[in-house]
Amino acid sequence: MDTGKSGFLTVDELCEFLRIGRTSAYRLLKSNQIEAVHLNRKWLVSQKAVQDYLQKQSNRRNEQ
């Protein structure tokens, strides 16, 4: 995952990485399923937050 110099992903980059739509991305962010910072009308997501989310999803699937 290339987060550039800042180490953060924008919503568009998050969508591309997870292969989801913008509505789904905003739903994940607003429900705190993916930790993010909302700054100046912009959501920024750290690489670690995305990795944590993917790990939780993986664990959830393994439990089923």
Side-chain angles (χ1 to χ4, degrees):
M1 173 185 334
D2 180 22
T3 58
K5 293 180 183 178
S6 70
F8 288 90
L9 296 171
T10 64
V11 171
D12 289 335
E13 292 167 335
L14 178 66
C15 291
E16 185 177 327
F17 182 75
L18 295 179
R19 296 182 182 188
I20 60 175
R22 290 176 62 85
T23 301
S24 296
Y26 282 116
R27 189 175 303 126
L28 291 171
L29 298 175
K30 290 179 181 179
S31 67
N32 291 322
Q33 291 183 50
I34 297 180
E35 293 183 33
V37 176
H38 193 214
L39 184 64
N40 293 332
R41 297 178 44 165
K42 210 175 199 185
W43 287 93
L44 298 174
V45 185
S46 71
Q47 180 178 358
K48 183 179 179 335
V50 176
Q51 290 173 344
D52 290 347
Y53 170 75
L54 292 174
Q55 184 63 45
K56 287 178 192 174
Q57 295 305 306
S58 177
N59 291 343
R60 185 177 293 162
R61 286 188 182 137
N62 290 337
E63 290 174 358
Q64 293 179 352

